[in-house]
Amino acid sequence: MSADNAYAVELKGVSFKRGARSIFNNVDISIPRGKVTGIMGPSGSGKTTLLRLMGAQLRPSAGEVWVNGQNLPKLSRSDLFDARKQMGVLFQSGALFTDLDVFENVAFPLRVHTKLPEDMIRDIVLLKLQAVGLRGAVDLMPDELSGGMKRRVALARAIALDPQILMYDEPFVGQDPIAMGVLVRLIRLLNDALGITSIVVSHDLAETASIADYLYVVGDGQVLGQGTPQELMESDNPRIRQFMTGDPDGPVPFHYPAPDYRDDLLGKR
Amino acid sequence: MLSGVVDYRTGPALREQGAALIKASTEAALTLDCSGVEKSSSVGLSLLLAFMRDAQAAGKLLTVRALPEDMQEIAKVSELTELLQHH
């Protein structure tokens, strides 16, 4: 049993393999309750896989995944279904249902998970859309929305069931600066006002560092570092420094390992 | 008096009970006391709105009292505070 109530999510000794390839090896991550935690790392470092492990969409090859005092890999299907209701996910693509209007997209989890009467579903949909500033867009179809609006509708849907934990998968990708600013403000507002635990997976350093209370940097199947954004900025670890400062070359080399260039072009002498 | 845990499980039954109470009442002004609410969510706010609509339809005035903190926070995020106060 996880004893520490200070953490909403704890990965303990988690390993994950795809076929023979190891994606994570013996990873420990603790997500403080009620805070915004950023999980950062280069593209392809397995950040989304971590979210999927926390949401039990994937099972670890080894280790424990504790969410609100429950070890998810050990839960029955029905208990897992209940545990997932406490978690909202904002997917990278937004993942709105393209043939449903904004109202029905936000109402969807309420229709699937509750037996609330129609007038209460309408109330909650409008409350959530008001919170993200899009109540006026309730009758629009997803293809009538800008990228930033889509992401906000997806956020309204993610909070429809008042989750205790909200996971954001690359929320800033492809957003213009205004939409990005709006999202940053919303993530912080929802976290602070509703006491939600927020987990932001991202490689957008500036935005993530600006809202995160705590950061993890992952890479090579491991946690490379953790701390407050300030602590990581001042890290002595060259791998973390390279990521935090965005240097093209460093411990993560610019060049993927390749045979000798001259040999490759002109043949061996 | 609204009390206990108001969430997605208890919401539908509370909706019906409240509607029946409002309908049965002969008073012109009703007060909904929320001081007994232990835990709530957006469902709690939706219930308040539903009861306000029921009261309005019955020509009665419904005042909300002692809104617990978690409901106040959700009300704030959804910009509902004023609407609940000035009904």
Side-chain angles (χ1 to χ4, degrees):
Chain A
M1 175 71 201
S2 172
D4 202 338
N5 197 41
Y7 298 110
V9 179
E10 282 179 283
L11 266 53
K12 293 183 177 175
V14 165
S15 299
F16 181 74
K17 288 193 177 90
R18 278 224 164 88
R21 196 161 73 99
S22 176
I23 311 284
F24 282 105
N25 188 20
N26 198 21
V27 163
D28 294 310
I29 289 182
S30 300
I31 307 288
R33 192 178 296 283
K35 299 262 169 55
V36 178
T37 301
I39 297 180
M40 312 205 56
S43 298
S45 56
K47 302 184 298 293
T48 300
T49 302
L50 272 183
L51 273 195
R52 295 173 73 89
L53 286 164
M54 291 176 189
Q57 280 106 20
L58 290 173
R59 282 176 85 88
S61 323
E64 299 172 352
V65 181
W66 292 90
V67 174
N68 283 334
Q70 291 179 300
N71 184 13
L72 296 189
K74 297 268 184 234
L75 291 186
S76 67
R77 271 181 73 93
S78 67
D79 285 345
L80 198 55
F81 191 72
D82 281 340
R84 282 212 189 105
K85 276 192 248 178
Q86 302 166 13
M87 294 182 254
V89 186
L90 184 73
F91 294 103
Q92 196 166 338
S93 56
L96 295 179
F97 301 112
T98 52
D99 52 346
L100 297 180
D101 64 12
V102 166
F103 183 96
E104 285 303 328
N105 262 286
V106 181
F108 189 80
L110 297 162
R111 297 201 192 284
V112 172
H113 287 285
T114 78
K115 294 188 167 60
L116 291 174
E118 192 59 32
D119 67 334
M120 291 178 74
I121 288 181
R122 182 171 182 274
D123 285 339
I124 295 172
V125 169
L126 294 182
L127 294 185
K128 301 302 171 185
L129 283 173
Q130 178 78 9
V132 301
L134 289 180
R135 187 167 48 84
V138 66
D139 295 324
L140 297 183
M141 296 300 286
D143 62 9
E144 297 176 278
L145 305 173
S146 71
M149 289 164 85
K150 276 185 194 145
R151 200 103 8 138
R152 282 196 272 161
V153 170
L155 182 52
R157 185 177 62 184
I159 59 172
L161 291 169
D162 297 316
Q164 294 172 26
I165 300 167
L166 200 42
M167 303 194 260
Y168 300 85
D169 190 1
E170 298 285 4
F172 310 117
V173 166
Q175 302 288 307
D176 67 54
I178 297 175
M180 221 178 253
V182 168
L183 268 174
V184 166
R185 201 180 63 95
L186 272 175
I187 292 172
R188 196 73 241 182
L189 172 78
L190 294 175
N191 188 86
D192 296 352
L194 305 180
I196 289 176
T197 299
S198 310
I199 306 168
V200 181
V201 157
S202 176
H203 59 247
D204 287 296
L205 182 73
E207 284 71 27
T208 311
S210 76
I211 48 168
D213 300 303
Y214 202 76
L215 284 176
Y216 278 88
V217 178
V218 297
D220 286 346
Q222 293 169 338
V223 173
L224 299 176
Q226 56 177 294
T228 63
Q230 189 62 33
E231 284 166 354
L232 287 181
M233 285 291 185
E234 291 161 5
S235 168
D236 294 332
N237 182 328
R239 301 213 48 166
I240 294 172
R241 284 190 72 87
Q242 186 191 357
F243 183 75
M244 299 300 280
T245 53
D247 290 340
D249 212 352
V252 177
F254 171 70
H255 287 291
Y256 191 79
D260 184 80
Y261 194 30
R262 184 188 172 88
D263 290 353
D264 231 4
L265 291 173
L266 301 174
K268 278 195 191 302
R269 272 183 292 186
Chain B
M1 173 98 172
L2 188 62
S3 61
V5 176
V6 184
D7 65 8
Y8 292 92
R9 277 183 209 95
T10 58
L14 289 167
R15 172 79 189 89
E16 284 175 26
Q17 283 171 25
L21 278 173
I22 291 167
K23 208 171 171 190
S25 166
T26 53
E27 306 286 328
L30 305 168
T31 302
L32 182 64
D33 184 342
C34 302
S35 58
V37 175
E38 292 160 29
K39 195 169 175 297
S40 188
S41 62
S42 305
V43 175
L45 288 175
S46 162
L47 263 186
L48 298 187
L49 292 167
F51 295 157
M52 283 160 80
R53 285 192 297 268
D54 288 348
Q56 203 172 291
K60 293 167 186 166
L61 187 70
L62 182 90
T63 315
V64 176
R65 257 203 71 222
L67 201 59
E69 204 171 321
D70 54 356
M71 286 172 78
Q72 282 184 40
E73 290 300 330
I74 302 174
K76 222 183 280 173
V77 170
S78 292
E79 298 169 348
L80 202 62
T81 311
E82 211 178 321
L83 215 147
L84 290 175
Q85 280 166 355
H86 296 107
H87 184 69

